[in-house]
């Protein structure tokens, strides 16, 4: 029986959804432990595409139980939208297969309003994530257990008072209607009610039984509130430490899987040393269809940054790499990867000869072009961790297993 954790090793959008879904088919339990609906996991099965924001990917397999842990922040309105969206795709979400921690915090319309008003420099997803975690940390937040006794309504009205000045200053296009938003929140909270539980018990029982368990990370290590490119980060612990604080259960992970995109992308503001704000970046964006699953924003694109990845590997103790979107590098004459920085913090690159062959859908490592193999081998050597899986396309079957996963 195995315990897995899957984390983004870069700035998010590494292609975790596909790998998480692939693994979750064999899992008994899938746990989300940080973040909220700022995540956007795209899963393609057959000709159906699913985009999930807050509900763990295990829901699609129909077999696994799913947990939204205490480290997460849950927007009842988006939760209901996601349940309805899944239902329209034939997937029923019930309290028998989804368990939401009573200690997780509620993202309210006021948080989303504050995000739009205050966090403009960061380029957030606008999902109210930062302001919700601010309330959590300053001990004025709304835990989901307050849905059980209805006390969230009182706290919501207190928030309206607390943030009165900002609310009154808002330009009309950002403004919030407090009465209307409270009514919407009450209706959504009622639907959320049956899912709320002590999720620690669910996870612990599963560990005790020796179940197969997957911890599903969201965003990426370089967006971690402590270890990321602060202040251009998200507001939760996206690295392995978050799995422990955000679930409340010690789990010994057999496989700590790094999802590494074959190049680098980021959305929103912040440093990005290997960014290619030029034709190369445009080509990467086109090849990789690099537009945000949550916001639709075009992603900034650039070459692989191995020193940054090394840091990410130190933080997370990764022991398995899943390399994604390799097929998007086909057609470049030359591929680059940063291998160190100079004293002005400019990246120094190593050049790799490119390949022209289309590799989409290849499942056999021996069928990859030689230059492509060389690129993979170098990543492996640099990071001193085996590349176990290589994703060669968006479909579930577009994958090469180089090292066993099970
Ligand atoms: P927030 O998480 O909405 O507060 O946004 C903070 C920063 O994290 C912004 O730069 C976002 O673009 C980025 N971010 C948040 N969630 C994701 C994600 O799932 N993928 C990639 N970037 C993200």
């Amino acid at each position: 029986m195995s315990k897995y954790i899957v984390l983004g090793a870069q700035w998010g959008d590494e292609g975790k959804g596909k790998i998480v879904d692939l693994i979750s088919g064999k899992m008994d339990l899938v746990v989300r432990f940080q973040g909220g609906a700022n995540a956007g996991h795209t899963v393609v099965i057959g000709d159906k595409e699913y985009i999930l924001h807050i509900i763990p990917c295990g829901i699609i397999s129909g077999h696994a139980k799913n947990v939204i842990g205490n480290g997460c922040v849950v927007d009842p309105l988006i939760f209901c939208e996601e349940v309805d969206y899944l239902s329209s795709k034939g997937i029923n979400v019930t309290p028998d297969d989804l368990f939401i921690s009573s200690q997780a915090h509620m993202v309210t319309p006021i948080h989303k309003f504050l995000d739009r008003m205050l966090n403009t420099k960061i380029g957030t997803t606008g999902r109210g994530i930062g302001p919700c975690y601010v309330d959590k940390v300053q001990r004025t937040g709304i835990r989901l257990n307050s849905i059980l006794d209805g006390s969230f309504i009182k706290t919501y009205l207190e928030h309206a008072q607390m943030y009165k000045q900002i609310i009154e200053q808002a330009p009309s296009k950002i403004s919030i209607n407090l009465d209307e938003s409270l009514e919407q929140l009450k209706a959504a909270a009622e639907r959320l009610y049956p899912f709320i539980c002590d999720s620690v018990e669910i996870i612990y029982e599963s560990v005790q039984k020796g179940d197969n368990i997957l911890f599903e990370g969201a965003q990426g290590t370089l967006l971690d509130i402590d270890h990321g490119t602060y202040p251009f980060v998200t507001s939760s612990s996206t690295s392995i430490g978050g799995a422990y604080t955000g679930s409340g259960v010690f789990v010994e992970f057999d496989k700590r899987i790094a999802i590494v995109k074959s190049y680098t992308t980021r959305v929103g503001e912040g440093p990005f040393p290997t960014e290619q704000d030029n034709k190369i970046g445009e080509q990467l964006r086109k090849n990789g269809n690099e537009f945000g699953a949550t916001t639709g924003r075009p992603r900034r694109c650039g070459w692989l940054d191995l020193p940054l990845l090394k840091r990410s590997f130190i933080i997370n103790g990764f022991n398995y790499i899943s390399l994604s979107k390799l097929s998007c590098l086909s057609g470049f004459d030359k591929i680059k990867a940063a291998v160190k920085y100079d004293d002005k913090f400019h990246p120094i690159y190593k050049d790799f000869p490119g390949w022209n062959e289309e590799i989409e859908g290849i499942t056999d490592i021996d069928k990859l072009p030689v230059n492509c193999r060389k690129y993979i081998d170098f990543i492996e050597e640099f990071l001193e961790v085996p590349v176990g899986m290589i994703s060669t396309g968006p479909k579930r079957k577009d994958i090469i297993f180089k090292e066993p996963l099970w």
Side-chain angles (χ1 to χ4, degrees):
M1 295 299 142
S2 300
K3 315 276 180 274
Y4 298 82
I5 183 163
V6 169
L7 299 168
Q10 293 145 313
W11 278 292
D13 307 317
E14 296 91 350
K16 291 180 289 295
K18 173 175 167 177
I19 305 307
V20 162
D21 172 61
L22 192 105
I23 297 175
S24 66
K26 298 209 180 186
M27 293 294 119
D28 303 300
L29 185 76
V30 180
V31 181
R32 273 274 314 258
F33 51 88
Q34 49 71 225
N38 47 348
H41 291 164
T42 308
V43 180
V44 181
I45 300 172
D47 54 1
K48 279 198 177 173
E49 183 183 85
Y50 306 86
I51 298 178
L52 298 174
H53 297 291
I54 182 66
I55 297 177
C57 290
I59 205 77
I60 295 173
S61 76
H63 159 69
K65 284 186 176 177
N66 297 275
V67 166
I68 297 178
N70 59 275
C72 295
V73 291
V74 182
D75 179 335
L77 297 161
I78 296 182
F79 171 75
C80 291
E81 270 171 31
E82 197 153 306
V83 168
D84 293 341
Y85 161 81
L86 284 168
S87 159
S88 76
K89 298 219 162 201
I91 295 169
N92 273 333
V93 182
T94 73
D96 289 331
D97 46 36
L98 177 64
F99 303 83
I100 306 181
S101 168
S102 56
Q103 290 163 240
H105 277 246
M106 183 196 284
V107 180
T108 70
I110 295 182
H111 292 135
K112 283 183 279 191
F113 159 80
L114 291 170
D115 203 5
R116 291 197 300 273
M117 275 295 279
L118 304 176
N119 293 331
T120 46
K121 279 204 207 106
I122 310 278
T124 70
T125 59
R127 295 292 177 103
I129 306 300
C132 180
Y133 279 111
V134 166
D135 269 324
K136 170 178 173 173
V137 173
Q138 75 181 355
R139 292 152 295 185
T140 50
I142 305 177
R143 276 183 160 186
L144 294 186
N145 60 10
S146 64
I147 292 180
L148 305 179
D149 63 5
S151 62
F152 75 95
I153 298 172
K154 184 167 163 276
T155 319
Y156 188 69
L157 296 171
E158 282 165 10
H159 281 186
Q161 276 304 312
M162 204 158 91
Y163 298 114
K164 191 164 179 258
Q165 221 182 356
I166 310 173
I167 292 172
E168 282 173 359
Q169 278 169 5
S172 58
K173 65 175 193 312
I174 304 185
S175 69
I176 174 169
N177 179 326
L178 289 169
D179 293 336
E180 217 175 84
S181 64
L182 180 56
E183 285 316 306
Q184 287 168 347
L185 194 60
K186 280 200 245 173
E190 208 171 300
R191 290 183 64 190
L192 188 60
Y193 189 120
F195 294 90
I196 300 169
C197 66
D198 179 2
S199 58
V200 170
E201 255 177 33
I202 306 285
I203 303 170
Y204 186 62
E205 252 174 43
S206 196
V207 172
Q208 293 292 93
K209 271 200 326 213
D211 280 350
N212 287 319
I213 302 179
L214 167 67
F215 274 55
E216 174 191 351
Q219 289 86 45
T221 301
L222 304 176
L223 288 171
D224 186 280
I225 184 73
D226 285 284
H227 303 294
T229 45
Y230 191 88
F232 300 98
V233 293
T234 191
S235 300
S236 61
S237 302
T238 57
S239 50
I240 198 160
Y244 295 107
T245 55
S247 70
V249 182
F250 176 75
V251 178
E252 216 158 330
F253 297 110
D254 308 292
K255 284 232 160 53
R256 300 178 293 279
I257 303 175
I259 311 292
V260 175
K261 199 183 274 191
S262 308
Y263 47 98
T264 312
T265 61
R266 95 172 280 177
V267 276
E269 300 306 314
F272 182 173
T274 60
E275 180 168 17
Q276 297 298 304
D277 191 8
N278 52 31
K279 285 243 153 54
I280 292 169
E282 272 166 38
Q283 191 62 42
L284 286 169
R285 188 174 309 113
K286 185 159 165 266
N287 292 4
N289 190 24
E290 295 294 354
F291 296 88
T294 302
T295 59
R297 289 181 288 178
R299 296 178 184 139
R300 299 159 62 193
C301 297
W303 297 121
L304 197 66
D305 188 329
L306 287 164
L308 270 185
L309 272 171
K310 187 83 188 177
R311 173 57 72 101
S312 175
F313 276 56
I314 291 170
I315 295 166
N316 294 300
F318 289 128
N319 59 8
Y320 190 100
I321 298 174
S322 169
L323 193 63
S324 66
K325 293 199 144 179
L326 190 62
S327 50
C328 304
L329 289 179
S330 290
F332 283 97
D333 288 342
K334 196 163 62 181
I335 292 167
K336 288 171 176 257
V339 286
K340 55 184 167 183
Y341 284 92
D342 67 15
D343 49 10
K344 294 204 177 75
F345 211 63
H346 296 136
I348 298 174
Y349 292 100
K350 175 175 167 58
D351 290 354
F352 297 84
W355 60 89
N356 277 318
E357 298 89 329
E358 185 54 76
I359 61 166
E360 183 154 337
I362 288 183
T363 54
D364 179 355
I365 185 91
D366 296 328
K367 300 234 161 80
L368 287 179
V370 175
N371 288 346
C372 183
R373 284 295 300 268
K374 285 187 184 154
Y375 185 61
I376 299 168
D377 291 347
F378 188 81
I379 294 172
E380 215 164 44
E381 272 162 37
F382 192 100
L383 297 171
E384 297 174 288
V385 172
V387 170
M389 263 191 278
I390 301 156
S391 173
T392 54
K395 303 209 181 72
R396 215 186 219 185
K397 61 179 178 47
D398 300 338
I399 201 141
I400 297 169
F401 284 101
K402 196 163 146 302
E403 301 280 333
L405 180 62
W406 312 110

